[in-house]
Amino acid sequence: MWNGMIDRKPALIARCRSAADVSAAIRYARGAELDVSVRCGGHNVAGTSVTDGGVMIDLSLMRSVNVDVDARVAEADGGCLLRDVDIATTEHGLCCPAGVFSYTGLGGLALGGGYGWRCRKWGLTCDHIIGAEVVLADGTIVQTSETENPDLLWALRGGGGNFGVVTKFRLALRPVGRLVLRTGLYAGDNVAIALRAYRDATATISDDFHLLGGLRHARPGDEIPEELADRPVLDMLAIYSADDETSAQQARELFDRMPEGVAGESVLSYLELQTMTDESSPDGRRYYTKSGYVTELPDEAIDRLIDSAAKNPSRTGSIDIEFLLGQVSRADGESSAFPQRHAPFMVSAYGSWDAPEMDDTGKYWARGCISTLQEWEHPGGYVNYISLDDDPAGAEATYGSAIYTRLTEVKRRYDPDNLFRGTRAVRPADGSSR
Ligand SMILES: Cc1cc2nc3c(=O)[nH]c(=O)nc-3n(C[C@H](O)[C@H](O)[C@H](O)COP(=O)(O)OP(=O)(O)OC[C@H]3O[C@@H](n4cnc5c(N)ncnc54)[C@H](O)[C@@H]3O)c2cc1C
């Protein structure tokens, strides 16, 4: 498991190579009355892919990807990591937009939603699922598409791993070219000035333009004045297509308004973009994250975030402020179970450490950071960013009652005994009390 804080031991790990293996593992678990969990990349921060004493269906041996270049469709096994899909598709100048860390599992990320560097331009990863092969709770293997079991397809687009084990994803692909990465590092009073400029720019930027700000402690090697090293610094990242003149102009305008800092600019391939943060979060450390959507970032919220960043007990942690909307908000809400398409910003406070004694302090800090933004909280949540000790039964609040009710109906049809508990557990309508 990626998060070293997860200390659960399954009774059995079923290392599956095919849908038939998955089916056999499910039938075995049911016969033995054992809980089931499903592991793809093992990256869920809350460790939902392992249960104590249960059967872990481990898909990590199922990582093939086939690309139909003419149809612009990839068929990816349910155990793929994002990098497997990126490597296979970019060879043909195509990609499926996904998360920012290439060792994350496609399974968990796509089923829960899937934000990433290109989501404002193209939408979420789950918006690109056009079909799937799924092993259901009774061990049967079914297909889903717009015409076959379409209610299941709807639920797989954002409803999490609550409905069955996806052994193959069919993903729509996008042509992708080179991308520009512009960066800025700001210190001292310039942090607040830069964050305000970032916030103001979000009012007009094009969908092609993606912005993220990360507040963190200064590190050795940061080119900042020594007297500012004990105050938080801000990393700004702006990403856009190298051939998009509108975005380039918007980037120039934004960085012209920015205060003095250390600026950088490079042109990257999509694969380089997708792997550029891989070194930042090594396996096995103890991680804790608390996230929340916010509706706006007034100066007061910015000041509180900077104040929280100064108190982060983790030297390697950060508070990430990501601007969303774009195509995420423009996708047809009816086509998927993904709930919070109109949330403007996602704020994630996270830390990592090695000593278990740090756990309480780190958790307390991250929760406190997000709770200082309560006045600007956007309702609902993102299933893929749940924290280790969040109540897994909080699905209704995460999805909102209309989507949640529809999910419970799909759950009743495909998993009436509630065998699969996703990162946010959806209970079957009028069904199992498990
Ligand atoms: C370093 C890091 C970076 C991240 N970056 C992003 C990001 O940029 N964007 C973003 O949106 N999220 C991001 N996340 C969050 C990520 O989307 C979730 O943690 C997600 O659950 C990880 O998926 P996984 O397959 O690796 O997880 P796992 O722990 O393997 O699985 C999590 C859950 O997903 C379900 N599941 C997984 N595969 C299947 C399958 N094939 N069939 C059925 N159910 C399945 C199961 O319910 C399982 O409990 C990041 C997480 C980390 C740790």
Side-chain angles (χ1 to χ4, degrees):
M1 304 297 292
W2 170 78
N3 189 353
M5 220 187 273
I6 310 300
D7 185 24
R8 296 184 213 121
K9 309 267 183 301
L12 188 147
I13 300 176
R15 304 206 72 198
C16 300
R17 288 186 183 277
S18 64
D21 285 356
V22 172
S23 173
I26 289 174
R27 288 177 206 270
Y28 171 80
R30 291 196 74 133
E33 296 187 356
L34 293 173
D35 283 344
V36 164
S37 67
V38 182
R39 181 189 187 279
C40 176
H43 251 171
N44 190 272
V45 188
T48 54
S49 54
V50 58
T51 50
D52 268 329
V55 173
M56 178 199 268
I57 297 181
D58 179 2
L59 303 174
S60 57
L61 298 177
M62 296 172 62
R63 289 175 54 185
S64 295
V65 184
N66 290 310
V67 181
D68 181 336
V69 179
D70 294 334
R72 289 188 182 162
V73 170
E75 207 168 69
D77 280 355
C80 280
L81 305 183
L82 301 184
R83 61 188 295 112
D84 300 324
V85 181
D86 290 342
I87 289 168
T89 54
T90 52
E91 193 185 318
H92 306 286
L94 300 169
C95 75
C96 177
V100 304
F101 194 90
S102 82
Y103 289 94
T104 301
L106 171 70
L109 179 124
L111 293 172
Y115 291 117
W117 299 127
R118 304 315 284 148
C119 68
R120 284 179 38 76
K121 183 175 173 69
W122 288 320
L124 301 161
T125 312
C126 72
D127 298 332
H128 293 75
I129 306 176
I130 54 172
E133 175 186 79
V134 187
V135 186
L136 299 179
D138 61 2
T140 56
I141 301 169
V142 300
Q143 303 295 323
T144 174
S145 67
E146 292 289 355
T147 52
E148 207 174 351
N149 301 312
D151 53 345
L152 182 57
L153 180 64
W154 172 84
L156 296 183
R157 291 175 174 157
N162 287 297
F163 307 94
V165 183
V166 177
T167 43
K168 266 190 206 313
F169 288 94
R170 275 181 287 284
L171 302 166
L173 303 178
R174 308 277 186 169
V176 65
R178 294 182 75 74
L179 297 131
V180 178
L181 167 69
R182 286 194 66 165
T183 56
L185 174 68
Y186 307 96
D189 293 343
N190 286 347
V191 168
I193 299 169
L195 267 177
R196 285 184 209 134
Y198 157 34
R199 173 208 52 208
D200 294 345
T202 60
T204 50
I205 55 172
S206 70
D207 290 356
D208 183 63
F209 199 96
H210 197 94
L211 278 171
L212 180 127
L215 284 165
R216 60 169 174 81
H217 291 297
R219 294 182 198 128
D222 283 342
E223 291 173 38
I224 58 167
E226 211 175 306
E227 66 275 15
L228 300 179
D230 59 348
R231 293 173 62 188
V233 297
L234 173 74
D235 282 319
M236 272 304 310
L237 274 72
I239 290 150
Y240 52 92
S241 306
D243 60 3
D244 189 310
E245 190 37 49
T246 307
S247 297
Q249 178 59 26
Q250 289 175 342
R252 278 192 292 275
E253 285 166 13
L254 171 62
F255 282 92
D256 283 351
R257 277 201 305 274
M258 284 294 194
E260 194 185 334
V262 184
E265 182 168 347
S266 45
V267 178
L268 307 174
S269 69
Y270 183 75
L271 206 51
E272 286 168 332
L273 178 75
Q274 290 300 105
T275 50
M276 72 180 180
T277 62
D278 279 359
E279 307 298 318
S280 63
S281 309
D283 277 17
R285 297 203 79 205
R286 304 175 80 81
Y287 291 94
Y288 187 81
T289 308
K290 188 80 191 167
S291 300
Y293 290 120
V294 295
T295 50
E296 55 179 333
L297 278 179
D299 291 355
E300 175 64 24
I302 287 175
D303 292 345
R304 288 187 200 177
L305 284 168
I306 296 169
D307 190 46
S308 291
K311 295 176 186 150
N312 189 345
S314 157
R315 300 304 300 179
T316 50
S318 167
I319 302 173
D320 287 351
I321 305 146
E322 186 162 22
F323 180 58
L324 305 171
L325 299 178
Q327 287 303 320
V328 174
S329 63
R330 276 187 264 286
D332 168 16
E334 279 299 296
S335 64
S336 79
F338 188 84
Q340 310 303 343
R341 291 190 176 273
H342 299 284
F345 293 96
M346 168 74 82
V347 178
S348 301
Y350 72 91
S352 67
W353 46 87
D354 294 313
E357 307 81 65
M358 272 281 294
D359 290 356
D360 287 345
T361 324
K363 289 178 185 178
Y364 181 79
W365 168 80
R367 287 190 218 125
C369 169
I370 298 303
S371 69
T372 62
L373 302 176
Q374 233 161 16
E375 281 147 85
W376 307 285
E377 183 186 342
H378 184 284
Y382 177 35
V383 286
N384 278 347
Y385 288 175
I386 62 161
S387 308
L388 182 54
D389 40 13
D390 280 358
D391 177 5
E396 186 159 4
T398 300
Y399 284 102
S401 64
I403 291 179
Y404 183 73
T405 303
R406 204 168 150 190
L407 283 170
T408 65
E409 294 294 343
V410 181
K411 180 81 171 170
R412 175 166 61 177
R413 179 165 174 215
Y414 294 98
D415 182 17
D417 298 328
N418 201 11
L419 184 70
F420 300 111
R421 323 285 162 73
T423 47
R424 271 281 184 241
V426 172
R427 304 181 79 87
D430 312 325
S432 159
S433 56
R434 268 164 57 105

